[in-house]
Amino acid sequence: MASMAKYELPQLPYAYDALEPHIDAKTMEIHHTKHHQAYTNNMNAALEKCSPDVQKKDIIEILANLSQVPDDQRGAINFNGGGYDNHKLFWHNMKQNGGGEPGGAVADEIKKSFGSFATFKEQFSAKTVAIQGSGWGWLVYNPKSRNVEYKSMPNQTSPRTEGLVPLLGLDVWEHAYYLKYQNKRPDYVASWWNVVNWEEVDKRLSKAK
Ligand code: MN3
């Protein structure tokens, strides 16, 4: 399988301390260099055991068509491929001095689906705080309904596995916040809104449409 493209750990688009005080530098460094690295390594190991017709596809395409992955690798690809892609999205849907309210198409779509930005924020926060155990809260684009929707996903399962396009993700695994927030997941979620990169979400939305 020497021809298979190995994935590398994606670089962060900013320094580890860029999201302070909302997300601390130590958490960012461990999250990126240990956790994201592990998903990347384990995804590569699972892909090595797949057939060339799976290997030649991009991981985004693989996650959207998990039934085509061999039974014995599907769980590993779902978890580690999802972990690879989710974190890649997560780093970029945050930025220093982010937050506020979105403009343009994202603002219109959120208003259409949730009534107002305030309602969206409230629902996204409440549902993501309430995720049992480890998982992610997402704003997704649903190509079938042509609407943006909220979707929580367990563990590292990607919204792509359900035909949804991830626009904005929030990691609520304890590794994402425990050093600074300990058991106070609601405080982490409330603070995270200050680093949301709405321009990136807008780009993903226009690409999804
Ligand atoms: Mn994580």
Side-chain angles (χ1 to χ4, degrees):
M1 305 293 175
S3 62
M4 194 195 96
K6 285 243 183 192
Y7 289 87
E8 287 181 8
L9 177 67
Q11 290 299 301
L12 279 194
Y14 38 71
Y16 289 125
D17 64 357
L19 307 181
E20 292 266 12
H22 309 291
I23 304 181
D24 62 287
K26 191 72 186 167
T27 294
M28 287 298 294
E29 184 177 357
I30 296 171
H31 202 171
H32 181 239
T33 63
K34 304 297 181 191
H35 294 276
H36 199 185
Q37 182 73 67
Y39 298 124
T40 305
N41 294 347
N42 293 334
M43 172 183 68
N44 281 327
L47 285 171
E48 271 178 31
K49 295 175 192 154
C50 293
S51 60
D53 61 306
V54 171
Q55 291 176 353
K56 72 183 177 199
K57 291 180 192 160
D58 187 85
I59 188 62
I60 289 173
E61 202 186 337
I62 295 173
L63 290 170
N65 299 279
L66 267 187
S67 62
Q68 294 169 15
V69 171
D71 289 352
D72 62 346
Q73 296 307 317
R74 193 173 302 128
I77 297 284
N78 179 52
F79 187 78
N80 296 294
Y84 168 83
D85 184 48
N86 290 342
H87 288 85
K88 194 176 171 186
L89 292 161
F90 184 51
W91 308 136
H92 285 269
N93 70 219
M94 300 187 291
K95 68 170 190 176
Q96 190 168 33
N97 302 319
E101 291 195 21
V106 178
D108 295 342
E109 291 292 340
I110 285 175
K111 191 172 266 184
K112 194 169 85 181
S113 293
F114 299 92
S116 70
F117 179 75
T119 303
F120 157 71
K121 190 174 167 181
E122 200 179 293
Q123 289 184 7
F124 185 109
S125 297
K127 288 178 178 175
T128 303
V129 165
I131 291 171
Q132 293 183 333
S134 299
W136 291 70
W138 292 97
L139 176 70
V140 297
Y141 178 73
N142 185 337
K144 285 181 188 153
S145 68
R146 296 186 177 184
N147 286 320
V148 298
E149 299 170 358
Y150 174 84
K151 184 79 189 172
S152 64
M153 299 297 295
N155 299 307
Q156 296 295 353
T157 301
S158 168
R160 301 188 199 278
T161 62
E162 299 193 6
L164 304 168
V165 183
L167 302 177
L168 172 66
L170 173 53
D171 186 345
V172 290
W173 280 58
E174 285 186 346
H175 68 229
Y177 64 87
Y178 211 83
L179 288 181
K180 182 178 170 77
Y181 296 94
Q182 293 83 46
N183 59 314
K184 299 183 285 286
R185 185 190 277 181
D187 292 1
Y188 160 66
V189 171
S191 201
W192 171 79
W193 290 104
N194 294 300
V195 294
V196 171
N197 182 348
W198 287 113
E199 292 78 20
E200 177 65 22
V201 179
D202 192 54
K203 270 188 224 164
R204 290 175 191 169
L205 176 63
S206 46
K207 204 175 156 197
K209 284 175 165 179

